[in-house]
Amino acid sequence: KNDESESDPIAFEHRNNSAKMCRASTANVIASCLFVTFVSLLMGRNHQGVASASSGGDEAPVSFGSAIKLTHIESSSKDGSKDYFLNSEPKNLGSGSGQQIVTMLSDKSASSTFWLIREASGAEFAEDSATPVKCNTVIRLTHLDTNRNLHSHDVPSALSRQQEVTGFGEGGNGDRGDNWQVVCSGKYWQRGEKVRFLHVDTQKYLGASSSVKFDERNCGNRCPILHHLEAFARKNQDAYSEFKVELGVHLSK
């Protein structure tokens, strides 16, 4: 069955598959790594998340050079007691492409949920830090712990058999499969507002579902990503593809 014929990813067949050193190639990435590592160590012990580095509040725009935590809205509780964040770790998938895993993790203090906002792969010029991101801009999200980029390609995902989302590249350098369009309303991507990410190469949206989870049945008792949600990409522009950003090290001019 074609995965796009279903509106709910939980209807798809589930399959029985089974702060790191910042390695950066640019001064901006190095500076962001150091800053985020400091804030994470300072605040992570009391599980209060990460404070904004600026005072703009939720209505302030999200900017280039910021290190953010992306909250998946559908899987998170309305009162904020349990949120799922886009996550990656230095572990590889046991199927499909075998690239670095990307999941959704319900731990707001984890450094593995920080992503650096950068210009698109192949862009002629680097964006200045603290420049607000306009809606429909194509960007790259680089994972701070591992310096691999949020990536997708035409390979089925492990559980829902939709499109695989992975970490790819070395030192923040990858390819066009790392490019995502920021789909939002208004002029700028705003903190606290709903946003989607459209994968440019395949025209599918980043997503997840609270019901597509790695557990003992589909991943084994020693599963290294037990209770994480699968991250995938799919054609449908629906509740499963909605994110927001609140926590992070936000740069502003």
Side-chain angles (χ1 to χ4, degrees):
K1 179 184 273 189
N2 189 306
D3 64 357
E4 310 308 344
S5 64
E6 299 284 354
S7 61
D8 187 341
I10 67 173
F12 303 124
E13 177 184 3
H14 279 45
R15 194 175 167 195
N16 186 21
N17 291 326
S18 354
K20 313 295 182 300
M21 288 297 291
C22 288
R23 295 166 296 152
S25 57
T26 68
N28 283 344
V29 176
I30 292 172
S32 295
C33 281
L34 293 174
F35 188 27
V36 170
T37 300
F38 169 75
V39 175
S40 182
L41 289 173
L42 183 66
M43 305 189 69
R45 293 181 181 275
N46 59 15
H47 301 279
Q48 294 300 307
V50 179
S52 170
S54 67
S55 58
D58 284 352
E59 296 182 357
V62 179
S63 60
F64 282 99
S66 295
I68 61 170
K69 289 175 175 269
L70 281 170
T71 306
H72 182 245
I73 296 175
E74 182 272 336
S75 60
S76 299
S77 58
K78 292 183 179 180
D79 62 3
S81 60
K82 187 174 184 179
D83 292 333
Y84 278 90
F85 301 92
L86 185 67
N87 172 74
S88 189
E89 299 173 23
K91 303 178 180 76
N92 291 345
L93 291 164
S95 62
S97 68
Q99 293 178 3
Q100 183 168 297
I101 62 167
V102 172
T103 61
M104 302 290 164
L105 175 66
S106 61
D107 181 0
K108 68 172 59 177
S109 66
S111 66
S112 59
T113 56
F114 273 118
W115 298 83
L116 180 67
I117 304 172
R118 303 171 63 201
E119 71 283 350
S121 180
E124 189 173 352
F125 301 104
E127 293 285 349
D128 292 336
S129 293
T131 299
V133 179
K134 292 182 178 180
C135 292
N136 300 315
T137 297
V138 177
I139 65 168
R140 179 173 28 167
L141 291 170
T142 300
H143 187 241
L144 281 186
D145 271 6
T146 63
N147 260 333
R148 296 191 188 275
N149 300 319
L150 185 68
H151 180 89
S152 193
H153 44 219
D154 190 18
V155 175
S157 60
L159 298 183
S160 65
R161 308 302 290 161
Q162 297 185 90
Q163 185 165 290
E164 195 178 77
V165 174
T166 64
F168 177 76
E170 293 290 341
N173 297 315
D175 61 22
R176 285 176 43 181
D178 305 336
N179 289 343
W180 300 81
Q181 184 179 13
V182 178
V183 180
C184 53
S185 58
K187 184 175 182 179
Y188 294 108
W189 175 12
Q190 300 284 342
R191 294 181 224 167
E193 297 296 321
K194 292 179 181 179
V195 62
R196 291 184 172 93
F197 299 93
L198 178 65
H199 188 243
V200 175
D201 270 5
T202 62
Q203 292 295 289
K204 294 187 177 182
Y205 292 91
L206 177 66
S209 169
S210 56
S211 298
V212 182
K213 181 180 293 188
F214 291 95
D215 57 25
E216 292 87 348
R217 178 177 57 85
N218 60 41
C219 193
N221 292 330
R222 298 183 179 180
C223 179
I225 49 174
L226 195 63
H227 306 311
H228 291 217
L229 305 183
E230 179 187 69
F232 51 68
R234 64 199 300 255
K235 280 283 188 186
N236 302 59
Q237 187 175 348
D238 53 22
Y240 300 108
S241 61
E242 291 179 339
F243 291 82
K244 65 180 178 179
V245 58
E246 293 170 329
L247 301 177
V249 181
H250 294 284
L251 304 183
S252 62
K253 293 185 175 179

